[in-house]
Amino acid sequence: MSGQEPATTATATGAGAGGGAAATETITNARHHPSLLKLAYHHTISNSPYILLAPAAAYLAHRLSHLTPTSLTTTLHATLHANLALAAALLFLLTILATAYLLRRPRAVYLLDFACYKPSPSHTVTRETFMRQSVAAGVFTDDNLAFQRKILERSGLGQSTYFPRAVLNSPPNPCMAEARAEAEAVMFGAIDQVLAKTGVKARDIGIVVVNCSLFNPTPSLSAMIVNHYKLRGNVASYNLGGMGCSAGLISIDLAKQLLQVHRNTYALVVSMENITLNWYWGNNRSMLMSNCLFRMGGAAVLLTNRGGADRRRAKYQLVHTVRTHHGADDRAFRCVFQEEDETGRVGVALSKDLMAVAGEALKTNITTLGPLVLPMSEQVLFLASLVGRKVFGLRNLRPYIPDFKMAFEHFCIHAGGRAVLDTIEKNLELSPWHMEPSRMTLNRWGNTSSSSLWYELAYTEAKGRVRRGHRAWQIAFGSGFKCNSAVWRALRTIDPAKEKCGNPWVDEIHNFPVEVPKVETVAAAS
């Protein structure tokens, strides 16, 4: 399967934007075909309110059929005249309640468009280039060079990821000036493209949220954006640091909250990481992992709460954000930890407990998200399984894993590494087709931290898979330890031919997907 592919259609029942209520709709999902028995059960449960109300509706229709228009009008007029005061009071109360609801209802948040940064070919780093630079650095022991080669061979990264200039130079020259140059290239490159795609003027932006975990200069990255684009003086700017790979969704959630307060404006969200000053030059293996996986990249997202024309041209509506924080647990707090090694060199240590901690955070997150998005049929099965195990003591009863493919057409799972993707694919019982955007993003771009979710959504768009009404689930993990989710609903069908600007996949999407072997040999560097 390569190039742009039209999606086939399978009829199912999806969950509404609200909690338990479900509405019948058509799911266009090329790789999810429930069995006929499950589909029949799904339709029956989802439409049970209509089925239960059908006898009452039939009885009411039968009674009304015996009334003439004249007798019906007379009855209504007499009832209203006899209870005029009550009718007026009810009308007044209804008006008050409707007004209160409209005033307190959250404003809809729309995603106008987004853009992902694509570095120039001069920044390309093959696996062999990575090992050559590691050998040339002269700081790694032979055992740790072999360790890095082993990690790289099993990482799932391809031959076209990117490093900043400072790391590729011979010798490498990490410094503040080079780190600023990397940040400016990534941020301004992505922002220029999203502004060009949307036609929004920089001075119309009222909110700026930037997240970069490990590089936090003074003035801040958000201040660099304000200065470069000459944003207005009352712009609300925020700079999030130290929040890990899930900070992109924290930024989206923060922008959503701000858009509930600031009327008729645009929010610019920029997600990135900085490699230049965060390359680890020591021999602690838990810190060397990040060298092998993290690569250069970033994304800019333009949100708005303006209706009318902006809603009509927006790509997605933000439906839900769910944030999970396990930082109160010491093991979770320390599983991704920046500190000095035994020689005083700073690095980010990854604990052996990372996968277990991530699994616990994922479980908590989807337990909160499930009732918001899953159709009632899945919630009933999950509840029955839980009651059977907890109430009736049926320990042999297998826990029911909700089928999230009934709630979402597209999955954007943070491309943190092959092990993370393998675990989520197994636990959520996803197909290779659903995992394709995440695996191809890891292969083509590496772990670009908080921006990886946008490279994955861009892949889905470039493949021509996004149709109006489709729902996409973005989920990411980050230090702290956090697991965050965002749910988007497509407001229109995305035409890949119109995605030339800001989508880094469009010129090469015909080459994907590619087969990613479990082990890819890296030529020895000398």
Side-chain angles (χ1 to χ4, degrees), residues 119-233:
S120 66
S122 63
H123 290 275
T124 302
V125 53
T126 64
R127 293 184 291 271
E128 287 71 26
T129 301
F130 175 93
M131 290 307 305
R132 186 167 58 249
Q133 290 297 100
S134 296
V135 171
V139 297
F140 303 114
T141 65
D142 290 343
D143 286 346
N144 279 332
L145 286 173
F147 171 76
Q148 291 182 77
R149 182 179 295 109
K150 181 179 179 180
I151 294 299
L152 204 60
E153 289 175 339
R154 292 159 174 79
S155 65
L157 273 67
Q159 294 287 63
S160 300
T161 58
Y162 299 99
F163 266 158
R165 181 177 57 196
V167 178
L168 289 175
N169 285 341
S170 295
N173 62 325
C175 61
M176 180 61 74
E178 287 291 344
R180 284 185 177 274
E182 179 191 352
E184 290 173 354
V186 173
M187 292 193 306
F188 302 159
I191 295 172
D192 286 346
Q193 290 182 322
V194 79
L195 293 180
K197 292 177 75 173
T198 60
V200 173
K201 296 180 180 178
R203 290 192 62 83
D204 290 334
I205 296 173
I207 300 167
V208 174
V209 183
V210 182
N211 67 268
C212 183
S213 193
L214 297 177
F215 180 58
N216 293 284
T218 300
S220 67
L221 297 173
S222 60
M224 290 166 60
I225 292 174
V226 173
N227 175 262
H228 182 79
Y229 291 96
K230 309 305 177 188
L231 303 186
R232 63 196 195 207

Side-chain angles (χ1 to χ4, degrees), residues 408-421:
F408 303 109
E409 287 76 32
H410 308 293
F411 296 80
C412 299
I413 302 160
H414 168 53
R418 173 175 257 159
V420 173
L421 298 182

Side-chain angles (χ1 to χ4, degrees), residues 311-385:
R311 185 198 183 283
R312 288 191 293 272
R313 68 193 184 104
K315 280 186 173 180
Y316 304 93
Q317 180 176 349
L318 181 58
V319 182
H320 299 292
T321 53
V322 175
R323 294 170 57 179
T324 301
H325 204 310
H326 281 188
D329 178 75
D330 290 341
R331 185 181 65 141
F333 176 72
R334 292 194 61 89
C335 71
V336 181
F337 205 82
Q338 186 179 25
E339 58 185 345
E340 294 94 352
D341 65 9
E342 57 276 7
T343 64
R345 294 184 174 93
V346 176
V348 177
L350 304 181
S351 166
K352 294 180 179 179
D353 295 327
L354 179 58
M355 293 307 301
V357 168
E360 294 167 3
L362 173 65
K363 181 180 179 180
T364 303
N365 191 269
I366 64 177
T367 300
T368 305
L369 180 68
L372 300 175
V373 299
L374 286 170
M376 187 60 69
S377 58
E378 291 299 303
Q379 296 189 47
V380 167
L381 290 175
F382 177 77
L383 181 61
S385 169

Side-chain angles (χ1 to χ4, degrees), residues 59 90 164 203 264 271 334 408 416 421 424 431 449 455 522:
Y59 174 76
L90 289 175
R203 290 192 62 83
N264 299 318
S271 297
R334 292 194 61 89
F408 303 109
L421 298 182
I424 294 182
S431 70
S449 190
Y455 286 91
V522 179

